[in-house]
């Protein structure tokens, strides 16, 4: 075991093109740090429907240039086998974007070199830019695929590799396993040609086209007066969002200066995710100073959008489901046509809004790779702060255009002396109070998640918070509307629970929703109290049932 491990590590080291990871791995070999070497060489980072995501470092179980070169070579081989070169003999174009994390620019350049060496054409975005700009560029440039180097809102030590095909949507099965098989077939990095030049670095014309497309998001002549505080969360969203807001004619957002510029170390937050405790504290402090109409935040690659409002004397984050319903109601009021879609873990309120408006509605598995593929999609959202408000422009979640649309809504409400919270109250009276919450457990040992899922399958609860479970579904079997996925869904009398392992983080996630009827606005306080009690009870009983 010891000798085999050292042999594997030494072979990897001999091919590693990166001086930093070579030094790191060399020290582990020299000191014969078997524990750490075993962690790095216990397998390979698996390529799946989220592409790759993991901790930076040396070895096949970490994100590094060797792993990325293999991933790019596998993608190139898959594209060439699947008829990617255009019929006129022109090699297909792969467009590559990247964020401002450690090693992102290196990974983007390596990908461009591999694509060029494989006989494809490659174009790299001019600098770190939001993920939705890459998703837009794929279709705008007629590319056959796109790659975004990002770990979104993961901790600073992580990076990732997200793959899109020519429709501008993230890969889904069977493309993921097809690409993974091509990656596995690569024996040695020396077999992968990587020329020093031959790819294109794009200019700002793609970004200009993306910004011009944002005009389609807003209604002509709509109100534009809402004032915002904005945080980029140390990511790449600031310049693009400011340009989009200026183009739209909104007041210039007040920036959270400490988080405005890209910084791969994310020094002011434990996790650079607006949903995490404390992440919005600096934005709220700025809001208390400046009294805007709303606070807007992007995650580091700006594909997500968080919104906060003043509630009583202080500021609070709206839940993703609340923003999802607000944007849906706004689009319905503007006369939007087409299918409204969401993932199964998001609030059922969207279905009620769509039904009342006479619009088609679809539920999908978790992730925008599924939502973006809904036929006739007009609007899609997911509770984890992801919104697709312009699917003809970006077939993915887009934190820039979502920020524009929610600020338009806030502006229109402001002109009528109302707020986003007033509209949420109206929706609760019209459709029932849909209250959502999440029980999320971050683990060091992934077996904790597997054990919890096994426990719930073997001994499923019969009631939660005193509400009987009327239907229990194991989603690994699929349904008449959904392909199989690792998850459990419980339908209760007036509530719904979904339990699933996260696809991108070491977390077990439980998504809770209760629906409390509301006869009139005066009944809202009582309904909120009842909803909070039920959610607390469901959390408590579910924790006990799963032993988490």
């Amino acid at each position: 075991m010891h000798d085999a491990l050292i042999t594997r590590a030494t072979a990897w080291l001999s091919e590693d093109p990166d001086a930093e990871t070579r030094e790191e791995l060399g020290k582990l070999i020299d000191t014969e740090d078997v524990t750490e070497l075993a962690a790095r060489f216990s397998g390979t980072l698996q390529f799946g429907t989220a592409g790759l995501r993991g901790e930076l470092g040396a070895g096949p179980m970490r994100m590094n240039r060797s792993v990325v070169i293999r991933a790019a070579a596998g993608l190139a081989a898959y594209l060439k086998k699947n008829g990617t070169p255009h019929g006129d003999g022109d090699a297909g174009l792969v467009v590559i974007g990247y964020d401002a994390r450690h090693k992102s620019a290196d990974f983007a350049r390596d990908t461009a070199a591999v694509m060029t060496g494989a006989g494809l054409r490659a174009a790299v975005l001019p600098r770190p830019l939001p993920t939705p700009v890459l998703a837009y560029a794929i279709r705008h440039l007629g590319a056959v695929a796109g790659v975004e180097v990002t770990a979104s809102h993961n901790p600073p030590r992580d990076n990732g590799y997200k793959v899109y095909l020519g429709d501008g949507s993230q890969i889904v099965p069977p493309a993921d396993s097809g690409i993974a098989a091509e990656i596995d077939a690569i024996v040695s990095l020396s077999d992968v040609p990587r020329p020093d030049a031959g790819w294109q670095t794009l200019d700002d014309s793609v970004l200009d086209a993306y910004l011009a497309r944002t005009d389609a998001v807003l209604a002509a002549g709509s109100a534009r007066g809402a004032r915002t505080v904005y945080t980029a969360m140390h990511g790449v969203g600031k310049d693009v969002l400011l340009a989009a807001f200026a183009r739209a004619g909104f007041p210039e957002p007040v920036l959270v200066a400490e988080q405005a510029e890209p910084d791969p170390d994310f020094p002011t937050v434990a996790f650079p995710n607006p949903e995490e405790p404390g992440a919005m504290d600096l934005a709220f402090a700025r809001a208390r100073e400046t009294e805007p109409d709303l606070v807007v935040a992007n995650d580091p690659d700006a594909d997500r959008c968080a919104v906060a409002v003043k509630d009583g004397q202080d500021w609070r984050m709206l839940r993703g489901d609340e923003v999802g319903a607000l944007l849906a109601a706004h689009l319905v009021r503007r006369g939007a046509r087409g299918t409204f879609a969401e993932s199964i873990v998001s609030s059922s309120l969207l279905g009620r809004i769509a039904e009342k408006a006479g619009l088609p509605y679809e539920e999908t598995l978790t992730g925008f790779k599924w939502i973006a593929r809904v036929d006739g999609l007009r609007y899609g959202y997911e509770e984890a702060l992801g919104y697709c408000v312009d699917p003809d422009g970006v077939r993915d979640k887009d934190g820039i255009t979502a920020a524009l649309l929610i600020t338009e809504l806030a502006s229109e409400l402001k002109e009528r002396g109302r707020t986003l919270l007033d509209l949420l109250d109206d929706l609760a009276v019209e459709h029932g109070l849909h209250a959502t919450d999440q029980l999320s457990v971050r683990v060091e040992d992934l077996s904790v998640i597997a054990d919890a899922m096994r426990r719930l399958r073997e001994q499923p609860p019969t009631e939660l918070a005193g509400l009987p479970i009327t239907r229990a579904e194991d989603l690994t079997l699929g349904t008449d509307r959904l392909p199989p996925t690792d998850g459990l869904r419980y339908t209760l009398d007036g509530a719904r629970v979904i339990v699933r392992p996260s696809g991108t983080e070491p977390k077990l996630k439980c998504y809770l929703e209760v629906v409390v009827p509301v006869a009139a606005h005066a009944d809202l306080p009582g309904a909120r109290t009842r909803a909070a009690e039920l959610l607390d009870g469901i959390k408590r009983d579910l924790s006990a049932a799963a032993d988490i």
Side-chain angles (χ1 to χ4, degrees), residues 27-158:
K27 287 178 180 174
L28 295 176
I29 294 170
D30 290 345
T31 58
E32 299 191 0
D33 188 337
V34 176
T35 302
E36 188 61 28
L37 285 171
R40 310 294 186 96
F41 288 86
S42 59
T44 57
L45 206 55
Q46 289 302 297
F47 187 94
T49 50
L52 294 168
R53 196 176 290 188
E55 187 176 344
L56 289 163
M61 287 296 289
R62 298 286 185 265
M63 281 296 296
N64 52 64
R65 291 183 60 199
S66 297
V67 164
V68 164
I69 290 165
R70 281 180 163 81
L75 173 60
Y78 174 86
L79 293 173
K80 292 176 76 173
K81 280 187 179 175
N82 284 271
T84 286
H86 296 173
D88 56 6
D90 179 26
L93 172 69
V94 179
V95 61
I96 302 150
Y98 58 103
D99 66 12
R101 284 178 177 266
H102 294 296
K103 298 288 184 183
S104 286
D106 293 341
F107 295 167
R109 278 193 298 272
D110 283 330
T111 301
V114 170
M115 296 300 160
T116 304
L120 297 164
R121 291 182 296 125
V124 184
L125 293 183
R127 59 186 169 280
L129 286 168
T131 293
V133 176
L134 180 277
Y136 170 82
I138 294 166
R139 296 167 77 197
H140 177 68
L141 296 173
V144 295
V147 171
E148 176 70 18
V149 180
T150 181
S152 189
H153 55 267
N154 275 40
R157 65 178 181 272
D158 289 0

Side-chain angles (χ1 to χ4, degrees), residues 274-275 280 284 297 306-309 315-319 322 385:
E275 292 180 292
M280 294 289 285
F284 291 164
V307 179
V309 295
W315 290 80
R316 78 165 174 94
M317 271 268 289
L318 294 179
R319 301 194 71 86
E322 292 176 310
L385 311 183

Side-chain angles (χ1 to χ4, degrees), residues 265 304 413:
D265 294 319
R304 288 174 168 82
L413 290 168

Side-chain angles (χ1 to χ4, degrees), residues 276-299:
E276 293 283 349
M280 294 289 285
D281 287 356
L282 288 171
F284 291 164
R286 199 81 178 96
R288 292 182 198 109
E289 295 167 4
T290 57
E291 290 295 318
D293 298 297
L294 71 165
V295 174
V296 173
N298 287 138
D299 68 335

Side-chain angles (χ1 to χ4, degrees), residues 15 17 65 69 110 113-114 116-118 189-190 192-197 199:
E15 290 194 332
R65 291 183 60 199
I69 290 165
D110 283 330
V114 170
T116 304
L189 289 192
S190 61
V192 181
R194 285 183 290 134
D196 293 330
W199 59 89

Side-chain angles (χ1 to χ4, degrees), residues 238-472:
K238 180 198 73 171
D239 291 347
V240 178
L241 182 129
L242 290 181
F245 269 56
R247 185 182 181 93
F250 288 120
E252 183 176 354
V254 174
L255 298 178
V256 178
E258 302 94 326
Q259 298 174 333
E261 299 303 327
D263 187 331
D265 294 319
F266 306 107
T268 68
V269 288
F271 291 96
N273 177 356
E275 292 180 292
E276 293 283 349
M280 294 289 285
D281 287 356
L282 288 171
F284 291 164
R286 199 81 178 96
R288 292 182 198 109
E289 295 167 4
T290 57
E291 290 295 318
D293 298 297
L294 71 165
V295 174
V296 173
N298 287 138
D299 68 335
D301 70 326
D303 62 351
R304 288 174 168 82
C305 176
V307 179
V309 295
K310 195 165 189 185
D311 188 1
Q313 295 305 303
D314 210 353
W315 290 80
R316 78 165 174 94
M317 271 268 289
L318 294 179
R319 301 194 71 86
D321 285 317
E322 292 176 310
V323 176
L326 287 168
L327 291 175
H330 183 45
L331 289 170
V332 165
R333 187 169 174 272
R334 276 182 25 186
R337 310 307 299 169
T339 302
F340 280 28
E342 65 181 340
S343 63
I344 57 172
V345 299
S346 305
S347 171
S348 59
L349 177 55
L350 183 70
R352 303 208 178 177
I353 292 170
E355 182 182 21
K356 181 152 189 183
L359 295 175
Y361 165 77
E362 289 287 339
E363 262 191 335
T364 74
L365 292 184
T366 309
F368 264 83
K369 58 183 176 283
W370 299 109
I371 294 170
R373 284 181 157 71
V374 168
D375 285 344
L377 182 68
R378 175 58 186 89
Y379 168 66
Y381 98 90
E382 189 155 77
E383 55 76 43
L385 311 183
Y387 314 94
C388 176
V389 303
D390 177 28
D392 290 341
V394 174
R395 275 196 109 67
D396 197 6
K397 55 187 177 291
D398 183 346
I400 305 295
T401 50
L404 288 171
L405 194 62
I406 197 71
T407 307
E408 178 186 60
L409 173 57
S411 299
E412 292 189 352
L413 290 168
K414 183 180 181 180
E415 281 200 344
R416 306 203 303 269
R418 308 188 78 232
T419 67
L420 296 174
L421 292 179
D422 293 329
L423 180 53
L424 283 172
D425 287 350
D426 293 350
L427 292 172
V429 173
E430 188 174 2
H431 302 288
L433 177 67
H434 290 62
T436 57
D437 203 353
Q438 194 178 120
L439 173 63
S440 181
V441 182
R442 186 181 292 272
V443 301
E444 293 292 326
D445 180 358
L446 290 175
S447 68
V448 173
I449 294 175
D451 289 346
M453 296 296 289
R454 178 182 48 75
R455 200 172 288 112
L456 289 171
R457 285 188 169 105
E458 291 174 356
Q459 296 176 292
T462 56
E463 67 172 37
L464 297 169
L467 301 176
I469 292 176
T470 58
R471 188 179 184 195

Side-chain angles (χ1 to χ4, degrees), residues 169-211:
S169 300
Q170 297 173 49
I171 55 167
V172 294
D176 57 344
S177 57
I179 296 167
E182 297 293 347
I183 295 170
D184 290 344
I186 293 156
V187 177
S188 168
L189 289 192
S190 61
D191 299 334
V192 181
R194 285 183 290 134
D196 293 330
W199 59 89
Q200 177 187 9
T201 299
L202 296 166
D203 59 21
D204 275 356
S205 58
V206 170
L207 176 59
D208 293 342
Y210 168 84
L211 288 168

